[in-house]
Amino acid sequence: MEQLITLDQTETLYGTLTVPENGHEKAPGVLIIGGSGPIDRDGNAPGMKLNIYNQLAAWLEKQGIAALRYDKRGTGSSEGDFRETGLQDLIEDGAAAVRLLKMIPEIDEERIFILGHSEGGSIAPKVAEKEKVQGVMALASSPKPLFDILLEQGESVEREISEGKGIFYRALKTGKVNKRMIKKQHKVLKELLDEEASKKYKNVNVKWFQEHADYDPREAFHRLRIPVIAVNGGKDAQVKAEDVSAIAQQTSGPVEAYVVEEMNHILRHQPEEFSIMKTKRRYLKQQNDNLSHELLDHLHPWLQKQIQ
């Protein structure tokens, strides 16, 4: 059963609450926090319909668990401007969504969890500081600061171009695209921290970048005392698979960490080798694919243990 919900923040946000048919028994609840970018409640962005979060909500419903997902500011049906939405806005919106979940009669307020994907996983512990929950699920996520991840992604592109074979990669190497790209990336990231950045980068969410520069997810994970499960993919071209180990090392409470070897960043099965240069093409081909069964096989026993 799906219900449309309204979240009144500085901007009105809209979302969907999925509630299982549990008779008169109150259901556990999960808040789904999406990844970076102008992503709506289903995990879709302009030009890319991935349906990550509605699939997760449907799976949770089958486990007898309610799920709340919502459109970020300026995406989907929600009001506001995504380009002016900072990291702190995202955290506050997540905390407000937890409070809303606790007020819904069909939901057991003592069994509320956060499921964060990508950036959502890195801010989930911060949301949990503001609003008490019983556990956190971090999928395709990392405890590293955003700028560190972006630099790692740049290095991955540079390495792929340097090691790539064929006409495409040869042309990029001939034009020294890899070297110039890394140099430009460092320059842009430095300029984004300048006080005048918003004047130069008018189509970039400078507020979001600058607030991320002051946020270290490792500190937030370290303060967590509640159960955590972290699952990353071995074919993830955006976040390193081994970052789940870093989450486990930083978290102070009970934690489980897994790597699904043939899963990519959008939580789909991918037997082919990953390529950061071909990421978008890969995602577009997998728009209608189901979520990784191995991922769900890790989440199921963890959730059942927590909600008993």
Side-chain angles (χ1 to χ4, degrees):
M1 181 175 63
E2 289 194 340
Q3 306 173 15
L4 297 180
I5 61 97
T6 302
L7 191 62
D8 291 319
Q9 288 292 83
T10 307
E11 311 289 350
T12 301
L13 308 184
Y14 294 90
T16 302
L17 174 69
T18 305
V19 182
E21 294 288 353
N22 284 359
H24 297 294
E25 182 181 350
K26 289 190 174 186
V30 171
L31 170 66
I32 298 174
I33 301 179
S36 60
I39 297 174
D40 68 13
R41 74 189 78 179
D42 292 334
N44 300 328
M48 193 169 292
K49 195 172 183 180
L50 299 177
N51 291 319
I52 302 172
Y53 310 137
N54 50 349
Q55 282 203 49
L56 282 168
W59 178 78
L60 288 165
E61 183 183 16
K62 291 179 181 178
Q63 316 309 310
I65 301 170
L68 173 61
R69 61 194 197 274
Y70 58 92
D71 298 331
K72 291 182 184 181
R73 302 185 189 198
T75 73
S77 301
S78 291
E79 297 176 354
D81 187 342
F82 175 76
R83 291 175 299 179
E84 296 178 0
T85 302
L87 173 66
Q88 295 306 318
D89 295 324
L90 297 174
I91 293 170
E92 291 297 336
D93 292 345
V98 172
R99 289 194 294 273
L100 178 62
L101 259 180
K102 292 179 178 178
M103 295 170 58
I104 295 170
E106 298 92 339
I107 307 298
D108 183 354
E109 64 177 320
E110 297 300 323
R111 293 188 293 169
I112 302 290
F113 303 85
I114 298 174
L115 185 157
H117 171 242
S118 192
E119 181 194 23
S122 70
I123 69 174
K126 196 68 178 178
V127 174
E129 283 183 23
K130 292 181 172 293
E131 289 295 329
K132 180 184 176 183
V133 295
Q134 279 59 56
V136 166
M137 293 166 271
L139 310 183
S141 193
S142 172
K144 296 173 182 172
L146 173 68
F147 279 43
D148 290 357
I149 295 173
L150 292 176
L151 290 172
E152 286 179 351
Q153 290 176 356
E155 290 167 1
S156 294
V157 173
E158 197 278 333
R159 184 167 53 252
E160 183 173 332
I161 294 174
S162 298
E163 298 174 356
K165 298 180 180 176
I167 297 174
F168 173 69
Y169 289 108
R170 195 179 308 126
L172 293 176
K173 280 182 279 192
T174 300
K176 297 184 179 179
V177 172
N178 47 343
K179 303 297 181 184
R180 288 188 284 113
M181 181 206 66
I182 289 291
K183 186 176 180 180
K184 183 177 180 180
Q185 184 195 40
H186 282 260
K187 179 175 179 286
V188 169
L189 290 179
K190 183 179 179 180
E191 290 178 345
L192 282 170
L193 299 181
D194 190 88
E195 292 181 1
E196 302 296 314
S198 57
K199 295 180 181 179
K200 182 173 182 178
Y201 294 96
K202 294 181 179 179
N203 293 319
V204 175
N205 191 334
V206 173
K207 179 182 178 182
W208 180 79
F209 272 105
Q210 292 183 346
E211 291 184 0
H212 256 295
D214 294 327
Y215 177 57
D216 190 339
R218 291 170 293 199
E219 297 175 0
F221 274 106
H222 184 67
R223 290 190 291 270
L224 274 186
R225 298 292 188 273
I226 56 177
V228 172
I229 181 171
V231 187
N232 280 13
K235 299 295 177 66
D236 192 328
Q238 294 172 251
V239 173
K240 289 186 175 181
E242 59 264 30
D243 284 358
V244 290
S245 298
I247 291 176
Q249 291 168 3
Q250 295 296 329
T251 303
S252 298
V255 58
E256 296 181 22
Y258 303 97
V259 172
V260 176
E261 293 297 340
E262 295 193 340
M263 183 179 78
N264 60 23
H265 193 68
I266 60 170
L267 312 182
R268 269 34 178 239
H269 178 72
Q270 181 180 319
E272 301 88 356
E273 287 301 316
F274 72 80
S275 163
I276 195 166
M277 298 286 289
K278 301 174 183 176
T279 296
K280 185 174 182 180
R281 188 189 310 172
R282 166 61 55 188
Y283 292 174
L284 288 171
K285 286 183 178 180
Q286 293 185 305
Q287 289 181 108
N288 298 317
D289 290 0
N290 293 324
L291 299 178
S292 164
H293 288 295
E294 194 173 343
L295 163 67
L296 302 179
D297 287 344
H298 286 304
L299 294 181
H300 180 265
W302 185 88
L303 270 167
Q304 293 304 313
K305 182 169 58 177
Q306 307 308 321
I307 66 177
Q308 286 177 356

